[in-house]
Amino acid sequence: MNQNQTDTSLFGRLRFVLVETSRAGNVGSVARAMKTMGFSDLVLVSPKCDNPLGDAEAVAFASGAGDVLASARIVGSIGEALEGCNFAAAVSARLREYSPPVWTPRAFSAHAAGQPELRPALVLGNERVGLPNGIVEQCNVLINIPANPAYSSLNLSQAAQVLAYEARLAAVGDGVDPRGVGFQGDAASLAQIEGMYAHLEEALVALGFLNANNPKKLMPRLKRLFSRTQLETEEVNILRGIAREIIKHAPPKDQA
């Protein structure tokens, strides 16, 4: 039993199946594409290359995903590769006259992520000839990656990377913090921010930059600027410290 079968997240449920892969380097590259997106269940069907899991090129191209490569399984048929799966998607750039419904990677990923009972598999074919019709017809859907119609050629690992990326997004969302990655302090309260504005206004008046009798729109514009930054408590304290120093060093009003 694959260790991921106890994991009900999409990361534990999704299997990548490579059929008759010709180059060991591509196996390693697919392992790397999978690991960067959090997936690890890899099965090879009758690979055409020798020692695809231990070949030096496979290990080099895996580049840190050696654990995915080492845990991959080699089987002799698509039936064995899909054991335990209840939904299979053939991946092909070539549309067939008689094929299962055609889905995009995003549609497949949303479907797979939204049904915890589903144990899906992505089936990718040989680098040169792709998947045989017999295997495509055994799958529930055919995935076609939208690409430039004038040149839609993706190599095996590129296709696997696109599929793994879409699956990850469906599983966890984009995970992007609009403030960026790194240290995140406590968000400043409204009272703290209002105190900062009052302190800053006092400093600008002391500096002669702001006319208290004719302030125009300066403070509302500064408030609009700072409202876009999602100020943290420490940042408010820094700005108030700057205001304090401005006030301390500002010339007396009768000398301004």
Side-chain angles (χ1 to χ4, degrees):
M1 176 183 292
N2 187 283
Q3 63 179 2
N4 287 330
Q5 289 183 352
T6 59
D7 184 354
T8 59
S9 74
L10 188 56
F11 299 106
R13 293 185 286 113
L14 180 59
R15 179 177 302 169
F16 285 73
V17 177
L18 306 184
V19 178
E20 298 184 350
T21 310
S22 295
R23 289 198 60 177
N26 282 332
V27 177
S29 293
V30 169
R32 180 178 183 178
M34 290 170 60
K35 185 168 182 177
T36 59
M37 295 298 143
F39 300 97
S40 60
D41 191 0
L42 176 61
V43 178
L44 312 183
V45 179
S46 303
K48 292 185 175 297
C49 47
D50 294 330
N51 192 23
L53 304 182
D55 183 270
E57 186 180 70
V59 173
F61 281 36
S63 185
D67 53 339
V68 176
L69 200 61
S71 64
R73 294 177 292 120
I74 298 176
V75 298
S77 69
I78 190 65
E80 291 176 85
L82 295 179
E83 282 183 4
C85 295
N86 54 13
F87 191 87
V91 181
S92 177
R94 179 167 58 91
L95 300 179
R96 322 293 170 103
E97 183 177 3
Y98 300 102
S99 80
V102 178
W103 286 12
T104 63
R106 190 158 298 175
F108 167 83
S109 298
H111 181 75
Q115 301 189 56
E117 75 285 356
L118 210 63
R119 301 200 69 84
L122 289 163
V123 184
L124 298 97
N126 174 270
E127 298 92 328
R128 187 174 63 84
V129 297
L131 287 171
N133 289 334
I135 289 181
V136 173
E137 290 165 4
Q138 292 181 55
C139 294
N140 301 89
V141 296
L142 174 67
I143 292 181
N144 183 258
I145 298 174
N148 176 8
Y151 186 72
S152 59
S153 176
L154 287 173
N155 72 28
L156 180 59
S157 61
Q158 289 172 333
Q161 188 71 79
V162 170
L163 295 163
Y165 171 76
E166 288 291 345
R168 181 175 184 83
L169 285 189
V172 301
D174 59 26
V176 175
D177 184 337
R179 296 184 296 172
V181 177
F183 173 77
Q184 299 295 329
D186 296 328
S189 68
L190 293 177
Q192 289 172 325
I193 293 173
E194 284 303 314
M196 179 204 75
Y197 287 143
H199 207 166
L200 186 58
E201 183 174 2
E202 181 184 355
L204 294 174
V205 169
L207 195 62
F209 189 82
L210 175 64
N211 184 343
N213 298 318
N214 186 25
K216 298 183 180 179
K217 298 292 185 182
L218 179 60
M219 289 311 299
R221 287 185 178 278
L222 285 176
K223 289 181 179 182
R224 182 169 178 266
L225 184 155
F226 283 116
S227 70
R228 296 198 297 269
T229 66
Q230 301 181 48
L231 286 164
E232 298 171 2
T233 299
E234 186 61 28
E235 293 165 343
V236 166
N237 291 338
I238 290 170
L239 289 168
R240 294 199 69 163
I242 293 171
R244 188 180 305 110
E245 289 300 306
I246 290 173
I247 293 168
K248 182 191 300 185
H249 293 93
K253 290 186 178 181
D254 58 354
Q255 295 180 21

